[in-house]
Amino acid sequence: MNFEHSVVDNILKLKLSGDLIGEDNGIDIIEIINNHINNNVKLCVVDISGLRYINSSGIGVLITILTKFRNKGGELCLLNPSESVKKLLIITKLNAIFTIEENEENAIEVLNNSLK
């Protein structure tokens, strides 16, 4: 799996691609999340449009990220999941826990409104 990250307007943007199966990258992602949360970043957009596959460990990584942001009074939004990932989120009922948006503009609006 590959990932990129940046912070724009105090929103962490994380882009994941490949297969999210909780390998070593999961630890690297969590470390980046912790660093940004410690620097008072409370909002995160995770672009998962490039994920081909996700397993239970990968779901665990996403839940860990969500939990870390919510524990600090923040929020996370998943962006543009593929059909297979969207089906997995529905089957596991995680679509009721995660905020999922189809485009970045909507995701940022939802995140900014979550802090009001």
Side-chain angles (χ1 to χ4, degrees):
M1 184 199 63
N2 297 311
F3 68 92
E4 303 168 11
H5 71 281
S6 62
V7 175
V8 178
D9 295 329
N10 216 32
I11 298 175
L12 175 61
K13 295 181 178 184
L14 188 61
K15 183 172 179 64
L16 308 179
S17 59
D19 299 334
L20 181 56
I21 54 175
E23 70 266 358
D24 293 340
N25 288 13
I27 295 167
D28 295 338
I29 292 170
I30 300 304
E31 185 176 321
I32 288 166
I33 299 295
N34 286 334
N35 289 339
H36 287 295
I37 287 174
N38 290 338
N39 288 321
N40 212 30
V41 173
K42 292 188 176 185
L43 302 175
C44 182
V45 174
V46 182
D47 183 346
I48 58 174
S49 60
L51 285 182
R52 291 181 307 230
Y53 175 78
I54 184 168
N55 69 2
S56 60
S57 294
I59 288 172
V61 170
L62 292 178
I63 290 171
T64 299
I65 296 169
L66 175 69
T67 302
K68 287 183 175 291
F69 276 98
R70 287 191 178 165
N71 284 346
K72 293 294 185 177
E75 189 55 68
L76 173 139
C77 186
L78 297 179
L79 183 60
N80 200 16
S82 67
E83 282 303 313
S84 61
V85 172
K86 193 182 295 185
K87 286 178 185 173
L88 179 65
L89 293 170
I90 291 169
I91 289 168
T92 58
K93 300 194 184 311
L94 290 173
N95 62 321
I97 295 170
F98 285 99
T99 302
I100 303 169
E101 292 294 331
E102 298 298 321
N103 65 59
E104 189 172 317
E105 295 78 24
N106 288 353
I108 290 171
E109 183 178 337
V110 167
L111 288 174
N112 285 325
N113 288 336
S114 73
L115 292 181
K116 294 181 180 176

